[in-house]
Protein backbone atom coordinates (compact mmCIF):
# COMPACT_ATOMS: atom_id res chain seq x y z
CA UNK A 1 0.00 0.00 0.00
CA UNK A 2 2.97 2.23 0.44
CA UNK A 3 3.76 2.12 -3.27
CA UNK A 4 0.97 4.59 -4.08
CA UNK A 5 2.59 7.94 -4.66
CA UNK A 6 1.09 10.95 -2.96
CA UNK A 7 1.59 12.95 -6.16
CA UNK A 8 -0.95 10.62 -7.83
CA UNK A 9 -3.57 12.51 -5.83
CA UNK A 10 -4.09 16.08 -4.74
CA UNK A 11 -3.25 16.85 -1.11
CA UNK A 12 -6.89 16.59 0.02
CA UNK A 13 -7.46 13.29 -1.77
CA UNK A 14 -4.23 11.87 -0.36
CA UNK A 15 -5.31 12.81 3.18
CA UNK A 16 -8.80 11.37 2.69
CA UNK A 17 -7.36 8.15 1.26
CA UNK A 18 -4.92 7.83 4.15
CA UNK A 19 -7.67 8.45 6.72
CA UNK A 20 -9.99 5.98 4.97
CA UNK A 21 -7.28 3.34 4.89
CA UNK A 22 -6.42 3.93 8.55
CA UNK A 23 -10.11 3.63 9.46
CA UNK A 24 -10.33 0.40 7.45
CA UNK A 25 -7.27 -1.06 9.23
CA UNK A 26 -8.77 -0.12 12.60
CA UNK A 27 -11.95 -2.02 11.69
CA UNK A 28 -9.89 -4.99 10.54
CA UNK A 29 -7.87 -5.04 13.75
CA UNK A 30 -11.03 -4.97 15.87
CA UNK A 31 -12.61 -7.85 13.96
CA UNK A 32 -9.61 -10.20 14.06
CA UNK A 33 -8.27 -12.31 16.90
CA UNK A 34 -4.77 -11.45 18.06
CA UNK A 35 -3.37 -14.48 16.21
CA UNK A 36 -5.26 -13.62 13.01
CA UNK A 37 -3.97 -10.05 13.20
CA UNK A 38 -0.40 -11.30 13.73
CA UNK A 39 -0.71 -13.56 10.69
CA UNK A 40 -2.31 -10.77 8.62
CA UNK A 41 0.44 -8.29 9.56
CA UNK A 42 3.18 -10.81 8.85
CA UNK A 43 1.59 -11.70 5.52
CA UNK A 44 1.55 -8.03 4.52
CA UNK A 45 5.23 -7.80 5.48
CA UNK A 46 6.56 -11.08 4.07
CA UNK A 47 4.04 -11.85 1.32
CA UNK A 48 4.06 -15.63 1.50
CA UNK A 49 2.79 -18.38 3.78
CA UNK A 50 6.15 -20.05 4.37
CA UNK A 51 7.87 -16.92 5.65
CA UNK A 52 4.87 -16.07 7.82
CA UNK A 53 4.90 -19.58 9.31
CA UNK A 54 8.63 -19.39 9.97
CA UNK A 55 8.38 -15.90 11.50
CA UNK A 56 5.54 -16.97 13.82
CA UNK A 57 6.94 -20.48 14.43
CA UNK A 58 3.68 -22.18 13.44
CA UNK A 59 2.77 -24.77 10.78
CA UNK A 60 1.91 -23.44 7.31
CA UNK A 61 -1.57 -24.99 7.62
CA UNK A 62 -2.26 -22.82 10.67
CA UNK A 63 -1.25 -19.73 8.63
CA UNK A 64 -3.49 -20.86 5.77
CA UNK A 65 -6.47 -21.39 8.08
CA UNK A 66 -5.96 -18.02 9.76
CA UNK A 67 -5.70 -16.18 6.43
CA UNK A 68 -8.90 -17.86 5.20
CA UNK A 69 -10.69 -16.51 8.29
CA UNK A 70 -9.08 -13.09 7.76
CA UNK A 71 -10.31 -12.97 4.16
CA UNK A 72 -13.86 -13.79 5.23
CA UNK A 73 -13.85 -11.16 7.95
CA UNK A 74 -12.38 -8.50 5.65
CA UNK A 75 -14.95 -9.26 2.96
CA UNK A 76 -17.69 -8.61 5.54
CA UNK A 77 -16.10 -5.26 6.45
CA UNK A 78 -16.06 -4.24 2.76
CA UNK A 79 -19.81 -4.78 2.34
Amino acid sequence: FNNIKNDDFGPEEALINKESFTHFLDKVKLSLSSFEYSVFSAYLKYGNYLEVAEHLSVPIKKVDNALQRVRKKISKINR
Side-chain angles (χ1 to χ4, degrees):
F1 299 107
N2 291 332
N3 59 355
I4 298 174
K5 298 177 186 171
N6 280 339
D7 57 347
D8 291 343
F9 306 103
E12 289 126 10
E13 285 179 316
L15 180 61
I16 290 169
N17 287 335
K18 183 176 181 180
E19 288 175 353
S20 295
F21 184 68
T22 301
H23 181 69
F24 171 75
L25 283 181
D26 289 342
K27 289 170 103 178
V28 168
K29 189 171 186 177
L30 289 173
S31 72
L32 301 179
S33 70
S34 61
F35 179 71
E36 289 167 346
Y37 189 74
S38 295
V39 171
F40 175 65
S41 297
Y43 185 71
L44 291 177
K45 181 176 181 179
Y46 298 109
N48 69 61
Y49 286 36
L50 179 59
E51 287 190 49
V52 171
E54 289 174 353
H55 176 74
L56 298 175
S57 301
V58 298
I60 292 175
K61 187 62 181 169
K62 193 167 182 176
V63 170
D64 179 48
N65 291 339
L67 285 173
Q68 293 301 322
R69 292 190 304 273
V70 168
R71 285 184 186 96
K72 285 181 185 178
K73 291 178 180 182
I74 287 176
S75 72
K76 289 179 183 179
I77 291 171
N78 279 334
R79 292 183 191 166

